[in-house]
Amino acid sequence: MSVEIEYLGHLSSTNAHPQSLIKPQPFTTAFGETKDPILHIAVAQVLPDQSGLHSNNNGGDHGRSAGLEKLERWASGAASRGADVVVFPEYFLSGATRELWRKVREAQRERANDGRVCEEGRGEKAWIQVIISVAQKFDIDIVAGTVVELGTQPHADLLSNHPVGGGAGDKIPHRPPQKAKPDQNKETQDALFNTSYYISRQGKVLHRYTKQNLWHPERETLLHSQQHTHPAQHHGPSTFLIQTKRGTKLRAAMAICWDLAWYSRFHQMLTPPYEEGRPSDLDKEGQVKGPDVIFAPTCWYASDGGTKALLWNGTGEAQMLDTLCLARAVELEALLVMCNVAGPYMTEEKVRQLRQELTKQIQKGEREREMETPLIGLGRSRICAPFLNVVAQVEDQREVMLLQSVDLNLLRHAREMYRMRYDHAQK
């Protein structure tokens, strides 16, 4: 039985930011067009699907995983509230354990061998096709969290007619086609990658981003994207164009979880090559063509730092995540939409008791590796921007849909005041 969705906040075209004395007004683009200033965002802070995307016994309709069923329900809820885009967290569909990730290799090979993956309308639908259908059905853009997949082009045939299709590895502006060495081909086709997809409400996969900076425990099972595995991602444009339901065009980019700690990923969004002939309505002469909105699916727990981090600071992970999100938004003069997973709740008193117990174990000479730290939910999904800083956030780890409208004039004004976009353009 499905649990009713809890909503936090609301969407409004006339009063997006009650704390501000500036109210939304249409703006004029560099080409003299009048545009609507609002982006309606839904952030689905949900628990990851612990059955895994490729489970054979999860009981969903038509063979769907529990995660896909949940995605459709939450996407429907976001659309019913009027959202332009709904964002899901990292590992939402694949599950957040190494055991589930390893099963992906076996499952994808099995499905490829027995022909269960749908091609040209036959057989079982691939998960990406299900999400495409959901986006079209509910007229909403979807950031589909992330999925652990085998190889660098797991949906090459299915996505050949999408903006991300067509042999992306050989179509890099200003560069000759790159030919991987035989051993590299074998390595990458047998590797597991963590990838996020952006699907438009028209049913087009507009962008695919594979995580570049893996958290240390992930590296035992996953491989990060590199120049030879994902050349288009590392040498091609880092941004892509999205459009609100009212026709305003924006430049978007993506990061995943631990990428937030690496400025190199965000500097990449500000550097050429840029998508030629596809301007954002916020573009202005003299400013670098960086993203207007950055989507960051995340799986970050309060206990991720382990024993030592908890002993140093019981709320350190929350403070770090909060700070990184705000810093990246200000540095790039962009919206930063971070969607974290929900997680197990632990009261402040329980955390205090845990820290005391860990201290006793260390005093007894126990090794840190032998000490078990429970999974502690963090949540704290948030939307950050210059001037307003924290536009909206979830204060805790519960499952909830965060709703927030953003007046894009906020970015236009901030870029004229802080002028970092102008400074980057001169470097």
Short mmCIF file of all heavy atoms in Angstrom, two decimals, residues 256-298:
data_model
loop_
_atom_site.label_atom_id
_atom_site.label_comp_id
_atom_site.label_asym_id
_atom_site.label_seq_id
_atom_site.Cartn_x
_atom_site.Cartn_y
_atom_site.Cartn_z
N ILE A 256 26.82 15.16 -9.02
CA ILE A 256 26.28 14.08 -8.20
C ILE A 256 27.05 14.01 -6.88
O ILE A 256 28.25 13.78 -6.86
CB ILE A 256 26.38 12.72 -8.92
CG1 ILE A 256 25.58 12.73 -10.23
CG2 ILE A 256 25.89 11.59 -8.02
CD1 ILE A 256 25.75 11.47 -11.07
N CYS A 257 26.36 14.26 -5.80
CA CYS A 257 26.84 14.04 -4.43
C CYS A 257 28.26 14.56 -4.18
O CYS A 257 28.48 15.76 -4.07
CB CYS A 257 26.72 12.56 -4.08
SG CYS A 257 26.81 12.20 -2.31
N TRP A 258 29.25 13.65 -4.14
CA TRP A 258 30.61 14.03 -3.76
C TRP A 258 31.24 14.99 -4.76
O TRP A 258 32.25 15.63 -4.46
CB TRP A 258 31.47 12.77 -3.59
CG TRP A 258 32.80 12.97 -2.92
CD1 TRP A 258 34.02 12.60 -3.41
CD2 TRP A 258 33.07 13.57 -1.65
NE1 TRP A 258 35.03 12.92 -2.53
CE2 TRP A 258 34.47 13.53 -1.43
CE3 TRP A 258 32.26 14.16 -0.67
CZ2 TRP A 258 35.07 14.03 -0.29
CZ3 TRP A 258 32.87 14.67 0.48
CH2 TRP A 258 34.25 14.60 0.66
N ASP A 259 30.66 15.12 -5.95
CA ASP A 259 31.10 16.16 -6.88
C ASP A 259 31.01 17.53 -6.23
O ASP A 259 31.77 18.45 -6.58
CB ASP A 259 30.20 16.19 -8.13
CG ASP A 259 30.53 15.09 -9.13
OD1 ASP A 259 31.70 14.68 -9.21
OD2 ASP A 259 29.61 14.64 -9.84
N LEU A 260 30.06 17.70 -5.30
CA LEU A 260 29.88 19.00 -4.64
C LEU A 260 31.15 19.46 -3.94
O LEU A 260 31.38 20.67 -3.79
CB LEU A 260 28.74 18.91 -3.62
CG LEU A 260 27.32 18.81 -4.19
CD1 LEU A 260 26.34 18.39 -3.10
CD2 LEU A 260 26.89 20.14 -4.81
N ALA A 261 31.98 18.52 -3.51
CA ALA A 261 33.20 18.87 -2.79
C ALA A 261 34.36 19.23 -3.71
O ALA A 261 35.41 19.65 -3.24
CB ALA A 261 33.62 17.70 -1.89
N TRP A 262 34.15 19.08 -5.01
CA TRP A 262 35.24 19.29 -5.98
C TRP A 262 34.89 20.48 -6.87
O TRP A 262 34.06 20.36 -7.77
CB TRP A 262 35.45 18.04 -6.83
CG TRP A 262 35.99 16.90 -6.02
CD1 TRP A 262 35.30 16.07 -5.19
CD2 TRP A 262 37.36 16.49 -5.95
NE1 TRP A 262 36.14 15.16 -4.61
CE2 TRP A 262 37.42 15.39 -5.06
CE3 TRP A 262 38.54 16.94 -6.55
CZ2 TRP A 262 38.61 14.74 -4.75
CZ3 TRP A 262 39.72 16.29 -6.26
CH2 TRP A 262 39.75 15.21 -5.37
N TYR A 263 35.58 21.59 -6.68
CA TYR A 263 35.30 22.77 -7.50
C TYR A 263 35.62 22.51 -8.97
O TYR A 263 35.03 23.13 -9.86
CB TYR A 263 36.09 23.99 -7.01
CG TYR A 263 35.84 25.20 -7.88
CD1 TYR A 263 34.59 25.83 -7.86
CD2 TYR A 263 36.82 25.67 -8.75
CE1 TYR A 263 34.34 26.92 -8.68
CE2 TYR A 263 36.57 26.76 -9.57
CZ TYR A 263 35.32 27.38 -9.53
OH TYR A 263 35.07 28.45 -10.35
N SER A 264 36.52 21.57 -9.24
CA SER A 264 36.88 21.28 -10.63
C SER A 264 35.65 20.91 -11.46
O SER A 264 35.57 21.25 -12.64
CB SER A 264 37.90 20.14 -10.69
OG SER A 264 37.40 18.98 -10.04
N ARG A 265 34.68 20.21 -10.85
CA ARG A 265 33.47 19.86 -11.59
C ARG A 265 32.68 21.12 -11.95
O ARG A 265 32.14 21.23 -13.05
CB ARG A 265 32.60 18.90 -10.76
CG ARG A 265 31.19 18.70 -11.32
CD ARG A 265 31.21 18.16 -12.75
NE ARG A 265 29.90 18.22 -13.39
CZ ARG A 265 29.72 18.40 -14.69
NH1 ARG A 265 30.74 18.57 -15.50
NH2 ARG A 265 28.50 18.44 -15.18
N PHE A 266 32.65 22.08 -11.07
CA PHE A 266 31.85 23.29 -11.31
C PHE A 266 32.58 24.28 -12.21
O PHE A 266 31.96 24.98 -13.01
CB PHE A 266 31.47 23.91 -9.97
CG PHE A 266 30.52 23.03 -9.20
CD1 PHE A 266 31.00 21.99 -8.41
CD2 PHE A 266 29.15 23.18 -9.32
CE1 PHE A 266 30.14 21.14 -7.74
CE2 PHE A 266 28.28 22.34 -8.65
CZ PHE A 266 28.77 21.31 -7.87
N HIS A 267 33.90 24.30 -12.12
CA HIS A 267 34.67 25.12 -13.05
C HIS A 267 34.49 24.61 -14.47
O HIS A 267 34.46 25.39 -15.43
CB HIS A 267 36.15 25.11 -12.66
CG HIS A 267 36.99 25.99 -13.53
ND1 HIS A 267 37.73 25.50 -14.58
CD2 HIS A 267 37.20 27.33 -13.51
CE1 HIS A 267 38.36 26.50 -15.17
NE2 HIS A 267 38.05 27.62 -14.54
N GLN A 268 34.34 23.30 -14.60
CA GLN A 268 34.10 22.69 -15.91
C GLN A 268 32.83 23.24 -16.55
O GLN A 268 32.75 23.37 -17.78
CB GLN A 268 33.98 21.17 -15.71
CG GLN A 268 33.92 20.34 -16.98
CD GLN A 268 33.81 18.86 -16.66
OE1 GLN A 268 33.45 18.47 -15.54
NE2 GLN A 268 34.11 18.02 -17.62
N MET A 269 31.85 23.59 -15.74
CA MET A 269 30.58 24.12 -16.26
C MET A 269 30.73 25.52 -16.84
O MET A 269 29.86 25.99 -17.58
CB MET A 269 29.53 24.15 -15.14
CG MET A 269 29.22 22.80 -14.52
SD MET A 269 28.12 22.99 -13.10
CE MET A 269 28.12 21.32 -12.43
N LEU A 270 31.81 26.21 -16.47
CA LEU A 270 32.01 27.59 -16.91
C LEU A 270 32.99 27.71 -18.07
O LEU A 270 33.22 28.81 -18.57
CB LEU A 270 32.54 28.43 -15.74
CG LEU A 270 31.64 28.55 -14.51
CD1 LEU A 270 32.38 29.26 -13.39
CD2 LEU A 270 30.36 29.29 -14.84
N THR A 271 33.56 26.59 -18.49
CA THR A 271 34.61 26.64 -19.50
C THR A 271 34.12 26.08 -20.83
O THR A 271 33.23 25.24 -20.87
CB THR A 271 35.84 25.84 -19.03
OG1 THR A 271 35.44 24.50 -18.71
CG2 THR A 271 36.46 26.48 -17.80
N PRO A 272 34.73 26.55 -21.95
CA PRO A 272 34.34 26.04 -23.27
C PRO A 272 34.71 24.57 -23.42
O PRO A 272 35.52 24.07 -22.65
CB PRO A 272 35.14 26.93 -24.24
CG PRO A 272 35.89 27.90 -23.42
CD PRO A 272 35.75 27.56 -21.99
N PRO A 273 34.11 23.88 -24.43
CA PRO A 273 33.20 24.44 -25.43
C PRO A 273 31.79 24.62 -24.90
O PRO A 273 31.36 23.90 -24.00
CB PRO A 273 33.23 23.38 -26.54
CG PRO A 273 33.48 22.10 -25.81
CD PRO A 273 34.41 22.45 -24.68
N TYR A 274 31.09 25.60 -25.47
CA TYR A 274 29.69 25.83 -25.13
C TYR A 274 28.81 25.32 -26.27
O TYR A 274 29.27 25.17 -27.40
CB TYR A 274 29.43 27.32 -24.92
CG TYR A 274 30.34 27.96 -23.91
CD1 TYR A 274 31.28 28.91 -24.29
CD2 TYR A 274 30.29 27.61 -22.57
CE1 TYR A 274 32.13 29.51 -23.37
CE2 TYR A 274 31.13 28.19 -21.63
CZ TYR A 274 32.05 29.14 -22.04
OH TYR A 274 32.89 29.72 -21.12
N GLU A 275 27.56 25.06 -25.95
CA GLU A 275 26.63 24.66 -26.99
C GLU A 275 26.37 25.85 -27.91
O GLU A 275 25.87 26.88 -27.47
CB GLU A 275 25.31 24.18 -26.37
CG GLU A 275 25.40 22.81 -25.73
CD GLU A 275 24.04 22.28 -25.35
OE1 GLU A 275 23.37 22.95 -24.56
OE2 GLU A 275 23.65 21.22 -25.84
N GLU A 276 26.72 25.69 -29.16
CA GLU A 276 26.59 26.80 -30.10
C GLU A 276 25.15 26.94 -30.59
O GLU A 276 24.47 25.96 -30.85
CB GLU A 276 27.53 26.58 -31.28
CG GLU A 276 29.01 26.54 -30.88
CD GLU A 276 29.92 26.31 -32.06
OE1 GLU A 276 29.39 26.25 -33.19
OE2 GLU A 276 31.13 26.18 -31.86
N GLY A 277 24.71 28.18 -30.70
CA GLY A 277 23.40 28.46 -31.25
C GLY A 277 22.24 28.11 -30.34
O GLY A 277 21.10 28.05 -30.79
N ARG A 278 22.51 27.87 -29.04
CA ARG A 278 21.42 27.51 -28.12
C ARG A 278 21.53 28.39 -26.87
O ARG A 278 21.96 27.95 -25.81
CB ARG A 278 21.50 26.04 -27.75
CG ARG A 278 21.48 25.11 -28.95
CD ARG A 278 21.30 23.67 -28.53
NE ARG A 278 19.95 23.43 -28.04
CZ ARG A 278 19.57 22.28 -27.49
NH1 ARG A 278 20.42 21.31 -27.34
NH2 ARG A 278 18.33 22.13 -27.08
N PRO A 279 21.13 29.65 -26.98
CA PRO A 279 21.28 30.56 -25.85
C PRO A 279 20.23 30.36 -24.76
O PRO A 279 19.11 29.90 -25.03
CB PRO A 279 21.11 31.94 -26.50
CG PRO A 279 20.19 31.68 -27.65
CD PRO A 279 20.55 30.32 -28.16
N SER A 280 20.61 30.69 -23.55
CA SER A 280 19.66 30.79 -22.44
C SER A 280 19.02 32.17 -22.49
O SER A 280 19.62 33.14 -22.95
CB SER A 280 20.39 30.60 -21.11
OG SER A 280 19.63 31.12 -20.04
N ASP A 281 17.79 32.26 -22.01
CA ASP A 281 17.13 33.57 -21.96
C ASP A 281 17.76 34.48 -20.92
O ASP A 281 17.45 35.68 -20.88
CB ASP A 281 15.64 33.39 -21.67
CG ASP A 281 14.87 32.87 -22.88
OD1 ASP A 281 15.29 33.18 -24.01
OD2 ASP A 281 13.87 32.15 -22.69
N LEU A 282 18.64 33.94 -20.07
CA LEU A 282 19.34 34.76 -19.09
C LEU A 282 20.71 35.22 -19.59
O LEU A 282 21.40 35.96 -18.89
CB LEU A 282 19.51 33.99 -17.78
CG LEU A 282 18.23 33.55 -17.06
CD1 LEU A 282 18.57 32.95 -15.70
CD2 LEU A 282 17.26 34.70 -16.90
N ASP A 283 21.11 34.76 -20.77
CA ASP A 283 22.42 35.15 -21.31
C ASP A 283 22.51 36.66 -21.49
O ASP A 283 21.53 37.32 -21.86
CB ASP A 283 22.65 34.48 -22.67
CG ASP A 283 23.06 33.02 -22.53
OD1 ASP A 283 23.33 32.59 -21.40
OD2 ASP A 283 23.12 32.33 -23.57
N LYS A 284 23.71 37.17 -21.25
CA LYS A 284 23.96 38.59 -21.46
C LYS A 284 25.37 38.76 -21.99
O LYS A 284 26.29 38.05 -21.57
CB LYS A 284 23.79 39.36 -20.15
CG LYS A 284 23.79 40.87 -20.33
CD LYS A 284 23.32 41.58 -19.08
CE LYS A 284 23.25 43.08 -19.32
NZ LYS A 284 22.78 43.81 -18.11
N GLU A 285 25.54 39.68 -22.90
CA GLU A 285 26.85 39.90 -23.51
C GLU A 285 27.88 40.24 -22.45
O GLU A 285 27.63 41.04 -21.55
CB GLU A 285 26.76 41.04 -24.54
CG GLU A 285 28.05 41.24 -25.32
CD GLU A 285 27.93 42.30 -26.39
OE1 GLU A 285 26.81 42.83 -26.57
OE2 GLU A 285 28.95 42.60 -27.04
N GLY A 286 29.03 39.60 -22.57
CA GLY A 286 30.12 39.85 -21.62
C GLY A 286 30.16 38.88 -20.46
O GLY A 286 31.13 38.86 -19.71
N GLN A 287 29.09 38.08 -20.30
CA GLN A 287 29.06 37.10 -19.22
C GLN A 287 29.38 35.71 -19.76
O GLN A 287 28.99 35.36 -20.87
CB GLN A 287 27.68 37.06 -18.55
CG GLN A 287 27.29 38.33 -17.83
CD GLN A 287 25.92 38.22 -17.17
OE1 GLN A 287 25.24 37.20 -17.29
NE2 GLN A 287 25.51 39.27 -16.48
N VAL A 288 30.10 34.91 -18.98
CA VAL A 288 30.40 33.54 -19.38
C VAL A 288 29.09 32.75 -19.45
O VAL A 288 28.15 32.99 -18.69
CB VAL A 288 31.39 32.89 -18.38
CG1 VAL A 288 30.72 32.59 -17.05
CG2 VAL A 288 32.00 31.63 -18.97
N LYS A 289 29.03 31.79 -20.37
CA LYS A 289 27.80 31.03 -20.60
C LYS A 289 27.73 29.81 -19.68
O LYS A 289 27.73 28.67 -20.14
CB LYS A 289 27.71 30.62 -22.06
CG LYS A 289 27.62 31.80 -23.02
CD LYS A 289 27.57 31.33 -24.47
CE LYS A 289 27.48 32.51 -25.42
NZ LYS A 289 27.45 32.06 -26.84
N GLY A 290 27.65 30.06 -18.41
CA GLY A 290 27.55 28.98 -17.44
C GLY A 290 26.11 28.57 -17.20
O GLY A 290 25.18 29.12 -17.79
N PRO A 291 25.89 27.62 -16.30
CA PRO A 291 24.53 27.13 -16.04
C PRO A 291 23.70 28.13 -15.25
O PRO A 291 24.22 28.89 -14.42
CB PRO A 291 24.77 25.86 -15.22
CG PRO A 291 26.08 26.11 -14.53
CD PRO A 291 26.90 26.90 -15.50
N ASP A 292 22.40 28.11 -15.50
CA ASP A 292 21.46 28.88 -14.70
C ASP A 292 20.96 28.06 -13.52
O ASP A 292 20.67 28.60 -12.46
CB ASP A 292 20.26 29.31 -15.56
CG ASP A 292 20.69 30.13 -16.76
OD1 ASP A 292 21.46 31.09 -16.58
OD2 ASP A 292 20.26 29.79 -17.89
N VAL A 293 20.88 26.75 -13.71
CA VAL A 293 20.43 25.85 -12.65
C VAL A 293 21.27 24.58 -12.68
O VAL A 293 21.54 24.04 -13.76
CB VAL A 293 18.92 25.54 -12.78
CG1 VAL A 293 18.58 24.98 -14.15
CG2 VAL A 293 18.45 24.58 -11.69
N ILE A 294 21.70 24.15 -11.51
CA ILE A 294 22.51 22.93 -11.38
C ILE A 294 21.73 21.93 -10.53
O ILE A 294 21.33 22.24 -9.41
CB ILE A 294 23.86 23.24 -10.70
CG1 ILE A 294 24.62 24.32 -11.46
CG2 ILE A 294 24.70 21.96 -10.58
CD1 ILE A 294 25.75 24.94 -10.66
N PHE A 295 21.51 20.75 -11.08
CA PHE A 295 20.80 19.71 -10.35
C PHE A 295 21.82 18.73 -9.77
O PHE A 295 22.71 18.26 -10.48
CB PHE A 295 19.85 18.97 -11.29
CG PHE A 295 18.78 19.85 -11.88
CD1 PHE A 295 18.88 20.31 -13.19
CD2 PHE A 295 17.70 20.25 -11.12
CE1 PHE A 295 17.90 21.13 -13.74
CE2 PHE A 295 16.71 21.08 -11.65
CZ PHE A 295 16.82 21.52 -12.97
N ALA A 296 21.68 18.43 -8.47
CA ALA A 296 22.66 17.59 -7.79
C ALA A 296 21.98 16.47 -7.00
O ALA A 296 21.73 16.60 -5.80
CB ALA A 296 23.53 18.44 -6.86
N PRO A 297 21.66 15.35 -7.65
CA PRO A 297 21.16 14.18 -6.91
C PRO A 297 22.23 13.70 -5.93
O PRO A 297 23.40 13.60 -6.30
CB PRO A 297 20.90 13.14 -8.01
CG PRO A 297 20.86 13.92 -9.29
CD PRO A 297 21.76 15.09 -9.09
N THR A 298 21.82 13.38 -4.71
CA THR A 298 22.80 13.13 -3.65
C THR A 298 22.35 11.98 -2.76
O THR A 298 21.16 11.77 -2.55
CB THR A 298 22.99 14.41 -2.80
OG1 THR A 298 23.51 15.45 -3.65
CG2 THR A 298 23.93 14.21 -1.64
#
